[in-house]
Amino acid sequence: MSKQLTAFARADERWGLRNHVLILPLHSALSATARKIADESDGAVAVSHDWSGEVDGDFDRIIKTFSGFAANPNNYATVFITIGTPGELLIIDLAKKLGINKAEVLNVAELGSMSKIAGAGLKIANSLVKEAKAQSRISAPWSAIALGQECGGSDALSGITANPALGVASDRLVELGAASVLGETTEILGAEHLLAARAITPEIGAQIIETVARYERSINYEGIDMRGAQPSRGNIEGGLTTLEEKSLGAAKKAGSAQFSGVLEYADQVPKSGLYFMDTPGHDTEQLTGFAAGGINVVVFTTGRGTPTGSAIMPTIKLATNTTMASAIPDLIDLNAGTIADGIKTLAEVGGELFDLILAVANGQITKAERGLHHEFSLSRMYNTVIK
Amino acid sequence: MTDNRKILILNELDNIAVCLVNMEVGEVIRQDALNLTIQNRIPRGHKVATKAIAKDDGIIKYGERMGHATSDIKIGEHVHTHNVLGDRLSTEQVNMEQKN
């Protein structure tokens, strides 16, 4: 099979693996209208959310999330639907600074009724979809791929089948010049010193340690002791012996490449190398942060068959066990359970996954995309304050 | 495609492998360069020593150290909480040490 990557060229050497027209409401009350526009259009996508412009402790994090999500290179264009608050204007401004390919703004205050917004939105959406369909993929370098690593609904096999198979594919992509990102700070707790030893500089290693320590301080503050609870009785029965072992299993998604840097939630991902992003363990919050960071394809390892996907990032589901993969074939793109069945080797499944990532990057539709799993979730760290 | 395997070696540096089926005492595993005899009953998903491990030596899985042996471990022996401790203590363990 061809190993040639093709993608949609954007400004600043950014590349889209999809050519979406995103309808993005910037106030919770506009979510229904955004969805209506997308549903009635010739292929635009929309997300819903619950932010109503609150200026509180999470304001910067939310502004960063929306602007990055809108500017993700998988979007040919983003149609912002706004009521005209300063926060909304800040989001649009930041998205432009991040190199958004095409931005359109519909303002409720100017257009008046929701039906006028819906009518104008549909017209713009369809015209943008037509433009997007006319754009062709061209030959792209490996740095066009920014891969996100995610695990959800883990089981006793995650650390020995799907996660290390993803590690094999990630290592190969990083070696070729792509970017790959490990997230979920909760999941590396207890193995951070081992990951820090793989950092390209001692400073980056210290940042990995500090990111986990900061997270640990925040949960200690809430009175939760993660360390004492891990590995759990169920983990030990499943064969996991130490905390390091459990976290190494989760971190195996990142293979054995060196870490080139640590990113805050929704930071823009550099073009090449392996990175760690400080994201929450919550699947949808983490995926939304990845998308806001410019990640354009995700591999999601799962033991239970979590259906979660994204409106703009193709999300490949890699099963950890054959029983689940056979039970829900409409959700699973590839089964790594064959490693535990003794049928295939890690290297073989890692190679199959690499080929699948390339095929999906080139346009092959994932099960999550076919199923319209367009989940979106804002990550909050403080109480919401209405001012 | 390879023959059905009974154990999974995750990294060539490892001194353990993961059992893919329940193992019985005396079972002989000949796979790749390995030739070992199972010393205890080992459940599926648990670890077996593929090299002799001395007390205090590191347990290497995925090519990384995941803890250390609390007693000598023979090739073919079950490697788990009875003969391994993490290098990194849990908060619970730290609290207990501080009390002592």
Side-chain angles (χ1 to χ4, degrees), chain A residues 17-194:
Chain A
L17 304 180
R18 293 291 183 266
N19 224 19
H20 287 301
V21 172
L22 170 68
I23 315 296
L24 186 60
L26 292 183
H27 189 288
S28 58
L30 304 171
S31 288
T33 307
R35 188 153 293 282
K36 180 177 157 72
I37 294 168
D39 287 350
E40 290 176 6
S41 74
D42 300 328
V45 294
V47 294
S48 300
H49 61 83
D50 60 359
W51 187 63
S52 312
E54 303 86 49
V55 181
D56 57 19
D58 285 313
F59 183 75
D60 291 346
R61 190 174 174 94
I62 287 171
I63 296 288
K64 188 179 175 186
T65 304
F66 278 126
S67 54
F69 196 87
N72 184 292
N74 278 356
N75 296 329
Y76 170 78
T78 298
V79 181
F80 296 97
I81 307 190
T82 75
I83 56 171
T85 64
E88 292 172 344
L89 297 175
L90 199 56
I91 290 166
I92 296 164
D93 199 40
L94 273 174
K96 286 178 179 165
K97 284 191 182 129
L98 288 173
I100 190 169
N101 193 50
K102 203 158 193 179
E104 296 284 347
V105 182
L106 289 175
N107 190 325
V108 177
E110 284 165 19
L111 282 162
S113 73
M114 284 295 163
S115 63
K116 276 187 184 157
I117 285 278
L122 185 59
K123 214 169 147 188
I124 291 175
N126 281 341
S127 132
L128 289 169
V129 168
K130 206 172 158 191
E131 282 176 35
K133 282 181 179 164
Q135 189 185 4
S136 302
R137 288 174 180 268
I138 58 169
S139 174
W142 288 102
S143 58
I145 291 181
L147 175 75
Q149 308 159 10
E150 159 83 39
C151 56
S154 299
D155 67 0
L157 291 179
S158 299
I160 60 172
T161 59
N163 290 353
L166 170 51
V168 169
S170 171
D171 277 348
R172 205 160 143 197
L173 282 167
V174 168
E175 205 179 314
L176 288 165
S180 184
V181 181
L182 173 72
E184 295 176 301
T185 309
T186 14
E187 303 270 341
I188 68 158
L189 190 75
E192 67 271 27
H193 55 301
L194 298 168

